[in-house]
Amino acid sequence: MHLILLFLFFSFSTSAKDDLSTLAKSPKWIKLLHYKKNITGSYVSEADAGTFFLHKDGKKNPELELRKTVEIFSQTSTPNDDHAICKFPLRYKWLNRELGMPWNADFSGCQKYISFFSKLAAKRASIVFSSYYLTNPNSAFGHTLLRLSRYDDKNETEMLDYGINYAAKAKENNPFLYAIKGLFGGFIGEFAAIPYYYKIREYTNFEFRDLWSYDLKLIMPEVLEMVDHIWELGNTYFDYFYFHENCSYHLLSVIDVARPSLNLTDRYSHYTIPADTVRLLHHEGLIDEGKRRESTYSKLIRLSEDLNQKELNLAKEIANHPKSTAKLVEGDSDQKAADVLDVSIEAFDYFNFEKILKDDPATKELKSHILTARAKNPIISKDVIDPKKTALDSPAYSHSPTRWVLAENYYDQIGKSTRFEFRAALHDLLDPPAGSLKEAQLEIGKVSFELQERNYQDAKLILDNFSIFNIKNYAEQNFWASPISWDVELGVKQLRRLSCFDCPAGFVTGSVGNSLQLARQKILLALLLNGELNIQSQFENNYRVGLGPKMFARYRLSDTWVTALNTYYHFNTYEHQKPFEDYEWWNELELRHHLNEKVSLSLKGGGVEREREWFTFGEFGLQYFYE
């Protein structure tokens, strides 16, 4: 009986409404069925399973669906698991209130629903952001999920919470087909309730991604409505679109159901990015300050900052030979031993993450030697993270992914131009650093045009560049890891040869190498081997291949000032038989100043040598990050 009272706890008394036509247009009903207006102004539900609707035309007709729902709900007061009342409890409770409580259903026959509700009956809800993971295209932009907790203690109970995850059921191994299906809704997306500690292990201990958790400012009745609606969504699926109807979009739709006045999903008509949704909830005042859960790797790197080289070597030795732990720290002071053991514990987890995730008994036994030595040490670790640094890294403070650029250019021996650029998403290596990628770049859908004046006359509009994607992953080499740095870009660009200045060419370019950071991570230096393929009719056999060294160096003077040098040298196969006679040497230096989170100024200049001719260029630009 107390469970039934709990179901009805969040009922609000409202006056009965007999006009079902009006009720069918109410924001709550529209949100409950996930209706959106199409270009003709008619409603169509984004839910794609017929089992989500009670009327055969319910997907496209809110009123027919409402009338059929009222009819079915009126037929019985003792529903069982297969009845619509048990499948759609939130619809039942809301309609019952709106119609003046004409029904009195006994939910005791809804055993599956009662079990689900009892398991998830939450007091609090949080939105969780899992950081960017460039290794997996499906998670390159990060991932969001809901965390539901029925406990009051915010700091000690998250391992007992449940995560509500929306993800695509993607089993496609062909990368080309995977991309096509992901872009055009070829996969189905479904909700799942998973013990939250599983997600912690997956993200922080296996993929080494940090988790950011933000408590939603919702009252308990709204949280309980979210639980009800998540149960209802188990009766449907959605076509999964990588850039729009993705994890973030549909989590926002669940929040919209609990509070229809927010209209959160209406803010995203073209694409939805996980970090962008966190920033939206922050701007709307719907979340508290974030709490960061470091990945095993992040914590290892942070704790290692306080050790010298000898101590780092000792920590690695312990991690690799746990049985010798007591002997290796023998003779060290308690404080030194504690610091080394703290790092060696994280290092052991990092080196053995796959076995730990499988709960391998032998691995647990090995780790126990380090844990025992640490337990005997009387020093209590003061593992304190600088809150200012944590706030700076929070995705709630990230810049908008959409960027416009207006710039004036000068080309030696050629003339000048005005350049217009649009970028759909997400971040480049010189963009504002708060809450964004630090050692990586991920740009999708960047296009620029130039109003070009040859010899300062005869203005002509030309395509300057169209980049389908431009990804750079310059993860640093350090004591614990030696990741390969790489970049790849695909698109169309002006080659600007003196013999053909306005001749756009298709291109694909990629690099591999190594990166490191210096001066307490103020300097990022990448040394790479770069290759590029150009496709254009001016070349013999319509193509050219270039190969040579490349260097990228970035120096962050402060949070608002950053400068970078980009240079490469290509040996090109212009005529194929003469691979070293056609070369290109490119140098570009850029200084960028971030006035605020929306506006940046850019000044760049450089020189390029082609066809044994040298010319210089310069640009001053204004960048605007569009909400």
Side-chain angles (χ1 to χ4, degrees):
M1 185 64 183
H2 67 283
L3 280 175
I4 298 175
L5 292 175
L6 181 59
F7 300 154
L8 300 176
F9 168 76
F10 54 96
S11 296
F12 296 100
S13 296
T14 59
S15 60
K17 297 182 179 179
D18 296 324
D19 189 347
L20 296 185
S21 296
T22 301
L23 198 58
K25 299 175 184 176
S26 66
K28 188 77 169 184
W29 183 249
I30 297 301
K31 299 292 192 300
L32 276 169
L33 275 295
H34 294 257
Y35 289 116
K36 292 289 183 182
K37 284 188 176 181
N38 58 23
I39 57 175
T40 66
S42 301
Y43 282 108
V44 178
S45 176
E46 292 174 330
D48 294 301
T51 52
F52 194 63
F53 308 98
L54 301 180
H55 192 279
K56 61 182 180 65
D57 295 322
K59 181 176 173 65
K60 298 182 179 181
N61 195 315
E63 184 174 341
L64 288 179
E65 179 67 18
L66 178 63
R67 292 184 182 277
K68 186 66 174 181
T69 301
V70 170
E71 176 188 336
I72 293 176
F73 285 174
S74 303
Q75 290 174 353
T76 182
S77 60
T78 56
N80 57 28
D81 284 329
D82 295 327
H83 195 273
I85 293 176
C86 296
K87 292 180 178 180
F88 305 110
L90 184 54
R91 296 186 205 178
Y92 174 86
K93 296 172 187 179
W94 176 73
L95 278 171
N96 204 21
R97 294 196 304 267
E98 293 295 309
L99 298 176
M101 308 298 286
W103 308 315
N104 187 25
D106 178 5
F107 277 87
S108 62
C110 304
Q111 292 299 313
K112 293 180 180 179
Y113 165 58
I114 289 175
S115 175
F116 179 87
F117 190 94
S118 301
K119 182 173 64 176
L120 267 69
K123 293 182 179 179
R124 297 183 292 109
S126 308
I127 189 162
V128 178
F129 175 80
S130 178
S131 58
Y132 309 95
Y133 188 52
L134 296 183
T135 303
N136 182 355
N138 195 40
S139 300
F141 287 86
H143 182 67
T144 51
L145 64 150
L146 282 174
R147 178 165 65 90
L148 298 176
S149 176
R150 44 184 173 174
Y151 303 98
D152 291 320
D153 193 329
K154 297 182 179 181
N155 298 316
E156 303 297 333
T157 62
E158 65 176 14
M159 299 294 279
L160 303 175
D161 296 343
Y162 272 84
I164 306 301
N165 190 53
Y166 175 80
K169 297 182 67 175
K171 297 182 180 180
E172 179 59 64
N173 294 321
N174 185 306
F176 177 76
L177 291 179
Y178 180 92
I180 295 298
K181 290 182 178 180
L183 289 172
F184 298 101
F187 299 121
I188 65 172
E190 294 180 332
F191 281 87
I194 305 169
Y196 185 57
Y197 70 85
Y198 284 150
K199 304 308 291 184
I200 290 176
R201 292 181 59 172
E202 174 187 350
Y203 290 134
T204 66
N205 300 335
F206 183 73
E207 296 180 350
F208 305 122
R209 301 164 68 180
D210 294 341
L211 293 177
W212 288 88
S213 183
Y214 303 86
D215 286 338
L216 286 162
K217 295 180 180 179
L218 300 176
I219 60 177
M220 183 177 171
E222 292 172 329
V223 174
L224 292 174
E225 285 201 349
M226 290 170 62
V227 174
D228 270 357
H229 190 58
I230 290 164
W231 168 257
E232 294 181 338
L233 292 173
N235 291 284
T236 191
Y237 60 83
F238 299 84
D239 290 337
Y240 191 95
F241 292 86
Y242 186 56
F243 287 117
H244 187 43
E245 289 188 49
N246 52 25
C247 61
S248 290
Y249 180 85
H250 282 299
L251 291 182
L252 290 178
S253 73
V254 173
I255 300 174
D256 271 344
V257 167
R259 194 180 293 180
S261 60
L262 293 174
N263 295 315
L264 296 174
T265 56
D266 290 344
R267 317 289 180 90
Y268 300 101
S269 57
H270 300 295
Y271 50 86
T272 315
I273 296 173
D276 223 17
T277 63
V278 175
R279 192 167 52 83
L280 169 64
L281 293 171
H282 170 70
H283 285 177
E284 292 293 319
L286 290 170
I287 56 175
D288 290 330
E289 288 297 314
K291 176 185 175 183
R292 179 187 182 189
R293 173 179 280 273
E294 291 178 300
S295 70
T296 301
Y297 180 72
S298 293
K299 189 173 183 179
L300 173 62
I301 297 302
R302 179 174 59 81
L303 293 178
S304 297
E305 293 175 353
D306 296 327
L307 301 188
N308 58 36
Q309 190 63 42
K310 181 180 179 180
E311 293 165 345
L312 286 173
N313 289 331
L314 178 58
K316 181 179 282 189
E317 181 73 11
I318 292 172
N320 288 324
H321 304 92
K323 292 182 179 180
S324 304
T325 299
K327 181 180 178 180
L328 289 171
V329 297
E330 186 178 6
D332 290 337
S333 67
D334 288 340
Q335 184 63 63
K336 178 180 178 181
D339 292 341
V340 170
L341 288 170
D342 286 342
V343 173
S344 65
I345 290 171
E346 300 302 325
F348 182 88
D349 288 351
Y350 177 63
F351 291 152
N352 300 278
F353 67 92
E354 289 184 327
K355 294 180 180 179
I356 290 173
L357 286 175
K358 295 177 181 178
D359 293 321
D360 178 58
T363 303
K364 289 182 178 180
E365 175 64 25
L366 282 174
K367 186 177 179 181
S368 69
H369 294 282
I370 310 176
L371 295 176
T372 299
R374 185 63 185 91
K376 291 179 179 179
N377 192 301
I379 300 298
I380 299 176
S381 298
K382 296 180 180 179
D383 189 9
V384 180
I385 303 176
D386 183 357
K388 292 184 179 179
K389 183 178 180 180
T390 300
L392 181 64
D393 290 339
S394 170
Y397 297 98
S398 62
H399 61 80
S400 170
T402 305
R403 189 183 70 187
W404 294 89
V405 176
L406 175 63
E408 284 294 318
N409 292 273
Y410 162 80
Y411 298 101
D412 181 34
Q413 305 180 41
I414 298 169
K416 75 177 188 70
S417 70
T418 300
R419 186 169 68 89
F420 310 91
E421 178 186 285
F422 168 79
R423 181 189 70 192
L426 167 75
H427 176 80
D428 72 29
L429 284 160
L430 275 69
D431 277 345
S436 300
L437 293 158
K438 298 297 187 292
E439 304 162 16
Q441 172 172 311
L442 178 57
E443 291 190 306
I444 303 292
K446 185 171 71 173
V447 61
S448 63
F449 294 90
E450 281 191 358
L451 187 61
Q452 184 186 104
E453 297 181 24
R454 297 296 302 271
N455 300 317
Y456 304 98
Q457 58 186 357
D458 300 327
K460 177 184 177 183
L461 185 66
I462 66 170
L463 173 67
D464 173 56
N465 181 288
F466 172 53
S467 176
I468 299 173
F469 58 80
N470 183 356
I471 306 173
K472 294 179 171 64
N473 188 8
Y474 295 160
E476 67 167 324
Q477 301 256 328
N478 56 48
F479 181 80
W480 299 107
S482 300
I484 297 297
S485 293
W486 55 272
D487 61 47
V488 61
E489 184 176 9
L490 173 68
V492 177
K493 68 178 180 179
Q494 293 286 350
L495 297 182
R496 302 195 191 284
R497 301 179 64 84
L498 294 178
S499 59
C500 186
F501 196 76
D502 178 19
C503 294
F507 76 95
V508 57
T509 179
S511 309
V512 293
N514 293 122
S515 302
L516 58 97
Q517 294 201 69
L518 306 168
R520 291 188 174 272
Q521 299 184 331
K522 287 187 176 181
I523 297 175
L524 173 64
L525 178 65
L527 301 174
L528 311 121
L529 177 65
N530 175 255
E532 182 171 324
L533 168 67
N534 302 131
I535 300 175
Q536 223 274 350
S537 59
Q538 65 175 296
F539 301 124
E540 185 175 326
N541 295 327
N542 300 318
Y543 76 92
R544 176 186 72 175
V545 177
L547 183 68
K550 176 180 177 179
M551 184 186 77
F552 174 84
R554 183 189 68 190
Y555 178 41
R556 289 201 181 280
L557 293 82
S558 67
D559 291 338
T560 58
W561 288 92
V562 60
T563 186
L565 172 67
N566 187 27
T567 181
Y568 63 82
Y569 190 95
H570 274 175
F571 298 101
N572 295 321
T573 58
Y574 179 35
E575 296 180 355
H576 307 304
Q577 291 83 17
K578 301 176 180 179
F580 301 111
E581 292 188 14
D582 177 44
Y583 64 89
E584 178 176 308
W585 183 24
W586 174 276
N587 302 273
E588 180 182 87
L589 180 66
E590 181 174 0
L591 175 66
R592 205 176 291 183
H593 176 45
H594 309 303
L595 298 176
N596 51 52
E597 65 177 11
K598 290 183 176 295
V599 180
S600 298
L601 300 177
S602 172
L603 180 64
K604 67 175 69 172
V608 58
E609 186 175 3
R610 294 190 183 106
E611 301 168 338
R612 305 187 185 279
E613 292 284 344
W614 175 268
F615 70 89
T616 59
F617 60 89
E619 177 183 282
F620 176 74
L622 173 69
Q623 301 178 343
Y624 177 68
F625 296 89
Y626 175 73
E627 294 290 345

